[in-house]
Amino acid sequence: MVRFFRWRSKDQKKKAKHLQKRLENFQSSQENNVSTWGSSIRQIKDEVNKELTAFQSHIEDIKDSALSLEELTKMLKSGEISEYVYNLILDELSNHLSSSIEEIFRIRENLELLRARAKIEWVKEKIGIEKLEESYSSSEKSLIREVYSPLYRWQEIVNKIDKVLSSLTLEEELSIIEHYLLIIRERTSRVKSKEMEEAIRICKRRLDVLSEKWSSIRRNNIEKIMDLESKASQLKDEIEEVEVRFAVGEFGRSIYESRVSALQGSLRRIEKKLSEIRNYIDEIDLKIFKISELLKEGDTEYEKQ
């Protein structure tokens, strides 16, 4: 290990060697004390990198397949292809899309497990560092934290997983689940009961997580609507006030038109924002409702098999 502590006096050198030795012993004990998960930083990091690459690749596949399905539908409607050709290509695209979505679900679960493992190791080593620091001065503590890199590597792994998992927006993930359930519904007769049960279980679990996340986002958007409605009401009152003051001759037409134009412009911007937020809430609510209905249908079909 590189020696990071250098002092000029003999006492300082002696102290540095002692501190260095303690840190090396701690690192050695941490490395030897393999957790029950049976994994090292390198092993987890390699597995995380592999899964993250696969996750991003499947996301791109899903987006490409979704665009291809849209284009295929347009070609059918325009009469460019027959219904027979449409069904053949649709089946092929659906199989590919279904496979990618299933992989996304599998990888997400594995990444969440790896994140938990990395977080546990991170906390364990943080506690170990704190215990090691108890017998040293403030300057020595800062040096220990500076040179003990495994602690930061665990944090890096956790942050990396969080960044990739959050790369899918709420709308995108809901759309993926909806697409998948629609494909499952179309292929009910060809899907084994165990496969259907597992698919429904995964989708339900993801929907529960996303619904909880949406509840918080929805609440914040409702608060934004209330705030914007209050501002819109205030602007309307100000417009009425300007109209009254103009009517009684308090100021001329040019001032009136300038003030009313500015106020109406602000009001239009607020009303546009209100419309966007309301439409967004309605869109997500509808997606969640549709998925819930598809899951109910799936449960019914599974019970019949």
Side-chain angles (χ1 to χ4, degrees):
M1 178 177 176
V2 179
R3 296 185 178 277
F4 294 89
F5 310 104
R6 295 176 181 173
W7 283 267
R8 292 181 180 177
S9 69
K10 290 182 178 179
D11 288 343
Q12 286 174 325
K13 286 180 180 178
K14 184 177 179 181
K15 189 175 182 180
K17 286 180 180 179
H18 177 63
L19 179 58
Q20 187 79 29
K21 185 67 176 174
R22 287 285 300 277
L23 185 56
E24 286 174 352
N25 289 340
F26 172 74
Q27 286 179 310
S28 178
S29 67
Q30 288 296 97
E31 288 168 2
N32 292 331
N33 183 26
V34 179
S35 68
T36 54
W37 299 98
S39 56
S40 64
I41 290 178
R42 182 172 294 280
Q43 288 171 327
I44 288 184
K45 190 172 183 179
D46 288 346
E47 191 172 353
V48 165
N49 288 336
K50 179 183 174 184
E51 293 288 47
L52 290 180
T53 300
F55 187 85
Q56 290 169 321
S57 175
H58 285 299
I59 289 296
E60 290 304 313
D61 283 346
I62 289 168
K63 290 179 179 179
D64 289 344
S65 295
L67 288 172
S68 297
L69 284 169
E70 287 179 14
E71 187 61 29
L72 184 67
T73 303
K74 289 178 184 177
M75 291 169 72
L76 175 67
K77 288 180 178 178
S78 68
E80 190 175 342
I81 58 173
S82 67
E83 190 171 344
Y84 174 73
V85 172
Y86 168 80
N87 287 328
L88 283 178
I89 300 174
L90 177 63
D91 194 50
E92 182 183 333
L93 284 173
S94 295
N95 286 337
H96 184 70
L97 183 60
S98 176
S99 176
S100 292
I101 292 173
E102 286 167 4
E103 277 299 293
I104 284 286
F105 290 151
R106 181 196 65 75
I107 292 169
R108 175 180 279 280
E109 287 192 335
N110 197 30
L111 284 172
E112 287 173 351
L113 175 62
L114 289 167
R115 185 190 184 280
R117 291 162 65 179
K119 196 71 181 285
I120 288 170
E121 297 298 335
W122 179 11
V123 171
K124 281 170 61 179
E125 292 195 5
K126 189 175 180 181
I127 292 170
I129 285 287
E130 287 170 356
K131 287 180 179 178
L132 179 67
E133 289 174 342
E134 289 174 0
S135 57
Y136 291 103
S137 65
S138 298
S139 60
E140 290 170 338
K141 288 178 183 179
S142 64
L143 283 169
I144 289 171
R145 287 189 175 273
E146 183 180 344
V147 302
Y148 191 65
S149 60
L151 188 64
Y152 302 103
R153 290 205 296 270
W154 287 122
Q155 184 177 357
E156 182 185 325
I157 289 171
V158 171
N159 292 343
K160 201 170 184 180
I161 292 172
D162 287 342
K163 183 179 179 181
V164 171
L165 290 183
S166 62
S167 64
L168 266 181
T169 65
L170 179 72
E171 302 94 302
E172 286 173 335
E173 191 161 2
L174 286 171
S175 293
I176 286 172
I177 294 172
E178 185 180 0
H179 273 305
Y180 182 62
L181 289 172
L182 286 169
I183 291 169
I184 290 293
R185 185 176 68 178
E186 293 299 319
R187 299 163 63 192
T188 298
S189 60
R190 288 175 286 166
V191 178
K192 294 179 181 178
S193 59
K194 281 291 180 182
E195 290 177 6
M196 178 175 283
E197 181 185 15
E198 180 65 11
I200 291 170
R201 181 190 67 80
I202 292 171
C203 289
K204 274 183 178 178
R205 192 166 67 201
R206 284 308 303 160
L207 182 62
D208 287 343
V209 172
L210 294 173
S211 295
E212 187 175 345
K213 184 179 178 181
W214 171 237
S215 294
S216 175
I217 296 172
R218 194 179 194 279
R219 191 162 48 248
N220 289 337
N221 277 291
I222 294 295
E223 289 173 4
K224 285 180 185 178
I225 287 175
M226 293 172 67
D227 182 53
L228 288 170
E229 284 178 338
S230 175
K231 288 178 180 177
S233 178
Q234 185 180 342
L235 284 169
K236 288 175 183 176
D237 290 343
E238 288 179 21
I239 290 171
E240 287 181 7
E241 183 185 341
V242 170
E243 288 174 342
V244 170
R245 292 172 68 185
F246 170 67
V248 298
E250 189 173 328
F251 42 71
R253 178 168 293 278
S254 61
I255 294 175
Y256 162 74
E257 289 177 348
S258 174
R259 291 186 181 180
V260 166
S261 177
L263 289 168
Q264 286 178 338
S266 296
L267 182 59
R268 281 194 297 272
R269 285 191 292 273
I270 286 177
E271 287 176 339
K272 182 183 177 184
K273 187 66 178 174
L274 275 167
S275 177
E276 288 172 353
I277 295 173
R278 289 190 180 113
N279 288 340
Y280 174 65
I281 290 174
D282 290 343
E283 180 188 347
I284 301 301
D285 282 347
L286 183 59
K287 275 185 179 293
I288 290 174
F289 173 75
K290 283 182 177 178
I291 292 170
S292 298
E293 290 300 301
L294 286 168
L295 285 169
K296 286 178 185 176
E297 286 181 26
D299 277 333
T300 303
E301 289 297 328
Y302 169 67
E303 287 169 3
K304 289 178 181 177
Q305 290 185 2

